[in-house]
Amino acid sequence: MFYDPGCFGRVELGTLPVDVQRRLAALPGEWLEFDAPSGAIVVRYVQPTSSPSLPTIAGELVRIISEIPGACHPAIGGGDLYVHADQTLQLVRLRVEPGGAVHIRWAHPDYATARRRAWQRGTHDLVDPKVQRLNGRVSLTAAEPAKAARELQAVADTFEGLYPEGDCHAVADPAAGTVRVELEDVNLDAELLVAKLQQLATASSLDGRIDVGSFAGEAPEHYVRFVFENGNVWIQRPVLWDSEV
């Protein structure tokens, strides 16, 4: 699930008396407005750049609903507005329940219950590789462990990202025939690395995980986790709300 920066969503208000519709349409607002033809609270096309988004949007939402007479509340269908908080870019959900109750909830990304999908290179919408931030650990067996470790290290050392900090260590154990890769805040194209891991690993030997974040302050719904089990490669997006489980 993805949301544009700023605010995204709509709230259905149902069929309202004409005089109420006129009153709602006349309310001032920077982010939200009442769209009479659809009977919904929608995000304005022209959005402000200076007002703090979350308190402003929450205030406008409550103001609009407060102008609806109590007798009309049962007709409110409800809906969600998603807001990226200023500075932190934390995702916040403003939910209007059927009947008009309003709830505010902050996203808490969690991979424990996230659904897995088989990874296919180039088919997943990821953070721009130039700002990807990788953390994790992967182990594999290889026909030539020392050579495999050098090739994996070269992938990290030669990648031309925007953030040179971070540590990547690819270490071979020739006696055991294994390679261990450890990543700490490494700016690297995750799919490039995963493809190389698949190329070098013997059958069913890949094991571990890599978390893909961003050095550029991307919002949490853009993050992913690669999971390696018995040679299979899975990709997960974090669960943001308990209701997604």
Side-chain angles (χ1 to χ4, degrees):
M1 184 181 292
F2 284 81
Y3 313 109
D4 294 330
C7 182
F8 173 86
R10 61 189 289 122
V11 177
E12 303 293 339
L13 297 182
T15 302
L16 298 172
V18 174
D19 63 320
V20 175
Q21 292 187 44
R22 289 174 180 165
R23 187 161 65 247
L24 297 184
L27 289 174
E30 295 182 74
W31 285 89
L32 305 179
E33 64 183 353
F34 173 69
D35 179 58
S38 65
I41 299 172
V42 299
V43 180
R44 291 178 179 270
Y45 287 112
V46 179
Q47 299 172 4
T49 57
S50 59
S51 299
S53 58
L54 180 57
T56 303
I57 293 167
E60 291 182 10
L61 175 63
V62 172
R63 171 69 188 280
I64 293 173
I65 294 176
S66 71
E67 293 289 336
I68 301 174
C72 298
H73 285 188
I76 295 176
D80 295 322
L81 296 172
Y82 297 95
V83 183
H84 285 125
D86 300 298
Q87 304 300 323
T88 65
L89 285 183
Q90 187 170 13
L91 187 65
V92 181
R93 182 180 68 193
L94 306 176
R95 169 161 289 180
V96 178
E97 301 284 357
V102 179
H103 303 279
I104 301 179
R105 190 164 191 174
W106 277 255
H108 295 284
D110 178 32
Y111 289 101
T113 56
R115 186 161 63 97
R116 293 183 179 183
R117 295 182 179 180
W119 172 69
Q120 290 183 314
R121 188 173 186 179
T123 63
H124 306 279
D125 193 1
L126 306 179
V127 171
D128 185 339
K130 291 183 179 180
V131 298
Q132 284 183 14
R133 184 176 194 162
L134 274 54
N135 285 277
R137 178 180 297 178
V138 183
S139 62
L140 63 145
T141 59
E144 300 180 71
K147 181 174 181 291
R150 288 194 299 270
E151 291 188 27
L152 289 166
Q153 189 68 52
V155 171
D157 292 345
T158 60
F159 180 71
E160 296 183 358
L162 298 179
Y163 298 85
E165 61 264 32
D167 294 303
C168 174
H169 299 289
V171 181
D173 183 345
T178 61
V179 178
R180 185 181 71 256
V181 181
E182 296 184 355
L183 305 157
E184 183 177 356
D185 294 333
V186 178
N187 185 195
L188 176 59
D189 183 343
E191 292 199 302
L192 180 66
L193 176 61
V194 173
K196 177 60 72 171
L197 287 166
Q198 281 192 319
Q199 175 190 336
L200 296 172
T202 58
S204 304
S205 70
L206 276 175
D207 187 69
R209 72 187 189 195
I210 297 173
D211 289 341
V212 184
S214 171
F215 284 98
E218 295 276 350
E221 67 272 24
H222 293 172
Y223 294 176
V224 299
R225 170 176 287 177
F226 286 91
V227 179
F228 307 89
E229 286 186 359
N230 300 318
N232 296 311
V233 182
W234 309 92
I235 193 168
Q236 295 177 295
R237 293 200 183 277
V239 171
L240 303 178
W241 325 100
D242 291 343
S243 59
E244 292 181 348
V245 178

